[in-house]
Amino acid sequence: MMEEKKKKEIALALSCGAVRGYAFFPIIDRLEKEGLRISAVSGSSIGALVGAYYALHGELNSLLKIATSMTRTDYLKMLDPNFPHKSLIKGEKVRQFLEENFFGQQTFDQTKIPLFICAVDLTNKKAVYFQEGPIIEAVMASISFPGIVPPYRQGNSLFVDGGVLDPVPVQILVDNNYDKIIGVNLMGCQAEIKKPEPGLWPTIITSFYLMMEKLAWRESSSQIYMINLKFKPDPTTMLSFHYWEENYQLGQQAIEKHLESIKKWLRE
């Protein structure tokens, strides 16, 4: 482990990926244990939620404890049906849970490190990167998955999931002059979906995640190191947040695989 005075600084870009976001926890934990200081974080969708919590609280253990202690029934209580008017759920109970348990009305000015949250502005047809205002508003905009949650209204704009245009928001960190950026891409699959399931939910998820998978792939460079994880292609469980163990273990395996290469990259 590096001595305190020799700690290396990195910025993190955390991708979309719903329940796959459990992979972030062991990756970030191991990077910290190796003496790496996370100096900024950007995120889309689940990456925005986890990144915002980390930037605000400076740790993820308490978030992991809450998330993994919840049962399937606990998560189902947050589903407020909205079908067929605008979306499958209204999202109001999700917001209430996140506000009460994670973010309150705290703002970007209160984070311990700089935070950039990506969402897609449907009104102006572009990706935007929140850097000010209430964190809960930015997180809700970034996690509003089309068809599942209605577009999130702020002012005169409607926002949807940041992963629609920028699944792994590394460029915003480049633009803000961070020299060493680690991107964590959760959108890879171990195999193709041989026979997609029919029905509204699998069709929506499979279609959007196929698009996001293509957009998310990036190669490493002297400035950016990409950790591209691969998961089992099972779109029907993407929002089953009580299934966390396998995704957490994939994160453990990924950081063990990449750690020595990351150290070498940091010395370059």
Side-chain angles (χ1 to χ4, degrees), residues 121-149:
D121 184 342
L122 289 181
T123 307
N124 295 298
K125 303 177 183 178
K126 64 179 182 179
V128 298
Y129 301 88
F130 291 92
Q131 301 174 53
E132 60 182 17
I135 292 173
I136 184 64
E137 299 289 341
V139 170
M140 286 303 301
S142 188
I143 67 173
S144 293
F145 195 97
I148 306 302
V149 183

Side-chain angles (χ1 to χ4, degrees), residues 18-262:
V19 70
R20 297 174 179 179
Y22 282 112
F24 291 140
F25 292 90
I27 291 174
I28 293 173
D29 180 63
R30 186 60 188 276
L31 291 174
E32 289 186 323
K33 287 180 177 177
E34 289 296 320
L36 302 182
R37 179 184 289 113
I38 297 171
S39 58
V41 62
S42 65
S44 286
S45 200
I46 190 63
L49 194 160
V50 174
Y53 192 94
Y54 182 82
L56 186 61
H57 299 285
E59 54 85 23
L60 289 177
N61 289 334
S62 55
L63 173 59
L64 182 64
K65 183 177 180 180
I66 293 171
T68 57
S69 67
M70 295 174 64
T71 65
R72 181 174 183 271
T73 300
D74 293 327
Y75 283 107
L76 287 175
K77 288 178 181 178
M78 284 190 280
L79 303 184
D80 41 7
N82 204 31
F83 185 81
H85 181 48
K86 290 183 179 180
S87 57
L88 291 181
I89 65 172
K90 297 176 182 177
E92 295 171 1
K93 290 185 178 180
V94 173
R95 180 199 165 104
Q96 181 181 359
F97 174 81
L98 295 179
E99 189 171 353
E100 291 178 354
N101 292 278
F102 298 158
F103 304 117
Q105 282 300 307
Q106 292 175 290
T107 68
F108 281 76
D109 291 337
Q110 295 171 278
T111 60
K112 299 179 184 299
I113 57 174
L115 170 66
F116 306 88
I117 290 181
C118 178
V120 172
D121 184 342
L122 289 181
T123 307
N124 295 298
K125 303 177 183 178
K126 64 179 182 179
V128 298
Y129 301 88
F130 291 92
Q131 301 174 53
E132 60 182 17
I135 292 173
I136 184 64
E137 299 289 341
V139 170
M140 286 303 301
S142 188
I143 67 173
S144 293
F145 195 97
I148 306 302
V149 183
Y152 194 77
R153 182 179 295 278
Q154 287 198 49
N156 295 321
S157 292
L158 292 172
F159 293 93
V160 295
D161 196 299
V164 169
L165 288 181
D166 195 356
V168 194
V170 295
Q171 188 61 45
I172 187 64
L173 297 174
V174 173
D175 294 344
N176 279 271
N177 301 314
Y178 291 97
D179 294 328
K180 291 291 185 177
I181 301 162
I182 295 179
V184 185
N185 172 22
L186 306 181
M187 298 310 301
C189 285
Q190 296 174 0
E192 297 295 325
I193 301 175
K194 295 181 179 180
K195 186 179 180 181
E197 294 184 42
L200 177 63
W201 165 242
T203 300
I204 290 174
I205 292 294
T206 302
S207 299
F208 273 103
Y209 273 85
L210 176 61
M211 173 191 71
M212 292 176 183
E213 181 180 349
K214 301 301 181 184
L215 288 173
W217 178 259
R218 292 176 176 85
E219 294 185 357
S220 297
S221 67
S222 60
Q223 187 176 5
I224 302 166
Y225 187 100
M226 290 301 303
I227 302 177
N228 292 299
L229 287 80
K230 292 187 177 181
F231 296 79
K232 292 180 180 178
D234 189 2
T236 60
T237 63
M238 288 299 291
L239 295 183
S240 299
F241 284 96
H242 55 291
Y243 291 132
W244 64 274
E245 292 94 341
E246 183 175 351
N247 296 296
Y248 186 93
Q249 290 168 4
L250 283 170
Q252 287 180 315
Q253 294 167 10
I255 191 59
E256 289 301 325
K257 175 182 177 182
H258 286 273
L259 190 56
E260 291 306 316
S261 296
I262 289 172

